């Protein structure tokens, strides 16, 4: 998963490539302290035919996707347990009316309270947004539009294009200003461009969504239809000018540094200096432009598209991005399209769950402090750190024994591996929310203040030393990531929870679960994207030409294997889009297996529930990825997600591992066994 360094509007944004994350797999409910959920195993399936179904078949049969979800997996189960804890914490905070003003407890409690005040939200209606809507309505010309653009971008409405302040890819000690393609409402440009039946249906449904939102805003039926078509026309032009998700994976192609004057020459209709001043970025001397061709087209559109049409588009972007904070009619329309039509969910999640997620998004480290006190012990942190060190040692061993890499490149790979920074559980220094004013309503104003707080925090970094203590996930998050510019791996407390990571479970289970996640994130530093960054986090070629060519041959094999996977009829995995995650899955599992052998060298191998150590390791891995999903979700995942569907994340790496064959007695000709010349092992 790609994560921008600035928070984005809710469901509808393409992201810039900065942080590589993996949806967290998770350990199963502990069975007798062992960690493998034996009842989930379907013994009618031969493990050497389809190990995913063997390990998870009974769970798949017994756990249909809930009506409020589009996917149900081990990841969701851990998140549900964390949600129960967060709900208690948030209810207690909201009930504490005498909390010290300005304290984290007050801010967390009031934010959650205002979001839960559905009656107050209905009564307020659009009134809190009226000043902003009036300002937009008063715009008469391009100059006024330019001024509104900055305001809307700072508030996270997502019009026209995206921008953020983050580490310079080629000078990792400095912050830089990035601008990148964006401005569309659908999750990917291809939804606007493809002519298959599904894409056409989605465009029709999206037009209906746009029309309904304009109707809610008070437009007549005729005007709502006209306005919907205007928005679709603008977004379609933006989509046509946009790069594909596969093209966005090339960090060099998306690094185009210009002076402000050069960017002004590319975008004369933006008035770049005025835009920078309005964005509180007037000190910027350079801009890193992600996709120059996109901005060339946007510049032409600023001249050719009538200002009135841009105002219509920006009105929609504003209200759509805030739909979840507005009266239920807006939230329901947003759900009907983005969750129901696109992903297949049948019902909206309960309000408390949506508001818990929103509070975590707005005040993640304030809420995280409360969460960590309840859930994450020093003992768990120490055991996780030990596991990480063991995984790093195993990775070093793998690098030393590679038969396709020269000694020269190996030494630099080892240098990078030694330089990895590790963050576990929660930040050493918590974020200061003192400038973020939170009160008990209206809720939408808390949302806007949260976005402005985040924006100001980000914009203030320009010209300052890089903050290497910063986190891009909150402590309750059930996830993990690798950040190439920091050369760091990060594991929030939310993923380091039983039974996914259980200090009381045996090593085989923890290494097959959390160990493989750690190995996955380590491998991201050496996948087809991460390998292009050096040990200091700079985009810099440190490979010999011959080693780069040999690596490319390995990645061609990965592409071929995963592109053949078919989650639905006529729907295939995109091996190029999922390349980095597939490499990380294959490498992470191999590294975790080696680390387990090193950790248990010389020890006896007792069987639990009839399974050996190595069998438990592979079962833990497979049970990480159990999942049920709607067809709509799978179709959207294949188009937009850099991760392969769970079944292929499970079976794909296993099919390349002789250690797996040996553990379960698989032989040549079995479906899980690939031909020797087709087996992939990069790291």
């Amino acid at each position: 998963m790609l994560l921008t360094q600035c928070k984005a509007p809710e469901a509808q944004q393409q992201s810039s490539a900065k942080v590589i994350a993996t949806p967290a797999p998770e350990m199963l409910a502990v069975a007798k302290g062992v960690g493998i959920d034996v009842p989930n195993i379907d013994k009618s399936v031969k493990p050497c035919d389809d190990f995913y179904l063997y390990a998870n078949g009974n769970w798949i049969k017994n756990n249909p996707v809930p009506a409020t979800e589009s996917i149900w997996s081990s990841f969701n189960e851990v998140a549900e347990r964390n949600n129960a804890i967060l709900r208690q914490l948030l209810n207690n905070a909201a009930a504490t009316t005498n909390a010290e003003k300005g304290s984290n407890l007050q801010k967390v409690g009031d934010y959650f309270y205002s979001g839960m005040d559905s009656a107050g939200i209905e009564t307020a209606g659009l009134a809190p947004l009226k000043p902003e809507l009036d300002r937009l309505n008063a715009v008469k010309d391009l100059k006024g539009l330019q001024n509104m653009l900055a305001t809307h971008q700072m508030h996270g409405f997502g019009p026209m294009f995206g921008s953020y302040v983050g580490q310079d890819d080629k000078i990792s000690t400095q912050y830089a200003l990035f601008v990148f393609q964006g401005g569309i409402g659908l999750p990917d440009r291809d939804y606007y461009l493809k002519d298959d039946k599904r894409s056409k249906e989605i465009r029709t449904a999206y037009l209906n969504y746009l029309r309904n939102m304009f109707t809610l805003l008070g437009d007549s039926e005729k005007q709502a239809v006209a306005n919907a078509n205007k928005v679709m026309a603008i977004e379609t032009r933006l989509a046509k000018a946009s790069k594909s998700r596969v093209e966005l994976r090339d960090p060099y192609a998306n690094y185009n540094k210009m002076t402000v004057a050069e960017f002004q020459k590319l975008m004369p209709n933006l008035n770049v200096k005025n835009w920078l001043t309005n964005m509180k970025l007037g000190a910027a001397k350079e801009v890193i432009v992600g996709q120059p061709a996109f901005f060339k087209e946007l510049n032409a559109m600023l001249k050719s598209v009538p200002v009135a049409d841009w105002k219509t588009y920006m009105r929609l972007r504003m209200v759509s991005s805030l739909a979840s904070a507005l009266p239920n009619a807006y939230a329901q329309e947003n759900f009907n399209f983005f969750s129901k039509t696109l992903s297949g969910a049948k019902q909206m999640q309960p309000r408390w769950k949506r508001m818990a997620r929103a509070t975590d998004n707005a005040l993640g480290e304030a809420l995280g402090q409360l969460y960590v006190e309840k859930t994450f012990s020093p003992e768990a942190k120490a055991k996780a750190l030990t596991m990480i060190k063991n995984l790093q040692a195993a990775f070093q061993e793998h690098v030393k024994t590679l038969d396709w890499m020269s000694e020269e490149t190996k030494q630099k790979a080892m240098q990078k591996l030694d330089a990895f920074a590790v963050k576990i559980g929660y930040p050493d220094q918590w974020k200061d929310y003192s400038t973020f004013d939170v009160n008990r309503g209206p809720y939408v104003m808390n949302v806007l203040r949260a976005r402005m707080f985040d924006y100001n925090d980000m914009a203030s970094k320009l010209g300052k030393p890089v903050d290497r203590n910063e986190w891009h996930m909150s402590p309750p998050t059930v996830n993990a990531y690798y950040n190439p510019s920091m050369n760091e791996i990060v594991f929030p407390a939310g993923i380091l929870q039983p039974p996914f990571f259980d200090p009381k479970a045996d090593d085989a289970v923890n290494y097959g679960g959390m160990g493989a996640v750690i190995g996955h994130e380590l491998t991201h530093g050496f996948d087809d994207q991460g390998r292009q960054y050096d040990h200091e986090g700079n985009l810099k070629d440190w490979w010999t030409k011959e080693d780069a060519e040999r690596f490319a041959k390995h990645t061609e094999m990965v592409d071929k294997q995963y592109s053949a996977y078919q989650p639905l009829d006529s729907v295939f995995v995109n091996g190029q889009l999922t390349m980095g995650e597939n490499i990380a899955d294959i490498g992470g599992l191999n590294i975790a297996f080696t680390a387990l052998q090193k950790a248990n060298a010389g020890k006896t191998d007792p069987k639990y529930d009839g399974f050996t150590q190595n069998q438990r390791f592979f079962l833990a891995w497979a049970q990480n990825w159990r999942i049920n999903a709607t067809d709509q979700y799978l179709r959207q995942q294949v188009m937009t997600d850099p991760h392969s569907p769970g079944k292929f994340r499970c079976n794909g790496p296993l099919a390349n591992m002789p250690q797996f064959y040996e553990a379960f007695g698989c032989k040549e000709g079995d479906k899980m066994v690939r031909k020797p010349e087709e087996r992939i092992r990069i790291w």
Side-chain angles (χ1 to χ4, degrees), residues 29-40:
V30 176
K32 303 177 182 177
V34 178
I36 298 299
D37 198 339
V38 176
N40 286 351

Side-chain angles (χ1 to χ4, degrees), residues 212-453:
N212 290 346
M213 292 298 277
F214 281 118
T215 300
L216 287 173
L217 285 167
D219 293 357
S220 68
E221 180 67 22
K222 181 179 179 180
Q223 190 61 51
V225 170
N227 285 342
N229 286 325
K230 290 175 183 178
V231 171
M232 180 64 91
I234 288 174
E235 293 185 0
T236 300
R237 281 189 69 177
L238 293 174
K240 287 179 177 178
S242 299
K243 285 187 174 183
S244 71
R245 286 179 183 260
V246 171
E247 291 171 322
L248 292 174
R249 299 191 73 255
D250 183 344
Y252 283 99
N254 294 294
Y255 184 96
N256 303 281
K257 183 177 283 189
M258 304 179 183
T259 64
V260 169
E262 288 170 334
F263 187 43
Q264 174 66 48
K265 189 175 180 180
L266 177 66
M267 290 284 293
N269 295 322
L270 176 61
N271 190 349
V272 170
K273 288 188 177 180
N274 182 64
W275 174 75
L276 288 171
T277 299
N278 290 338
M279 294 285 286
K280 304 181 182 180
L281 297 169
K285 300 292 188 289
E286 297 173 318
V287 183
I288 298 174
V289 180
Q291 301 78 32
F294 173 87
F295 285 93
K296 184 178 180 180
E297 172 65 3
L298 176 58
N299 180 69
M301 291 174 65
L302 284 169
K303 191 76 171 178
S304 64
V305 174
V307 169
D309 289 4
W310 280 119
K311 288 166 57 177
T312 297
Y313 161 82
M314 291 173 68
R315 182 163 62 119
L316 184 282
R317 296 293 295 164
M318 180 194 340
V319 176
S320 185
S321 82
L322 293 170
S324 63
L326 295 174
N328 186 62
Y330 294 88
Q332 190 67 52
E333 283 295 338
N334 191 271
F335 166 82
N336 287 344
F337 178 72
F338 289 102
S339 296
K340 193 172 185 178
T341 299
L342 283 182
S343 300
K346 296 179 178 63
Q347 297 174 12
M348 198 180 294
Q349 289 183 340
R351 187 167 197 90
W352 73 263
K353 191 177 291 187
R354 289 181 279 134
M355 293 306 109
R357 184 170 61 251
T359 307
D360 183 39
N361 287 338
L363 291 152
E365 292 189 21
L367 178 58
Q369 290 182 59
L370 305 176
Y371 171 82
V372 166
E373 289 173 6
K374 270 193 168 290
T375 62
F376 195 59
S377 69
E379 293 78 15
K381 185 169 184 175
K383 184 157 185 174
L385 185 59
T386 297
M387 185 180 289
I388 291 172
K389 289 179 178 177
N390 289 344
L391 267 293
Q392 287 176 304
F395 205 150
Q396 289 175 335
E397 183 178 299
H398 281 220
V399 171
K400 290 176 182 177
T401 58
L402 288 176
D403 60 3
W404 59 269
M405 180 179 278
S406 69
E407 285 301 319
E408 179 184 349
T409 308
K410 282 183 183 180
Q411 289 303 313
K412 292 181 179 178
M414 294 289 285
Q415 182 184 28
K416 180 171 184 177
L417 190 57
D418 288 340
F420 265 65
V422 178
K423 295 177 179 176
I424 300 176
Y426 50 89
D428 293 329
Q429 182 175 343
W430 295 102
K431 181 175 287 189
D432 179 7
Y433 291 97
S434 58
T435 61
F436 179 15
D437 181 38
V438 182
N439 55 52
R440 298 215 154 195
Y443 173 55
V444 70
M445 299 308 296
N446 277 335
V447 172
L448 289 174
R449 285 191 292 268
R451 293 183 182 184
M452 277 305 301
F453 171 80

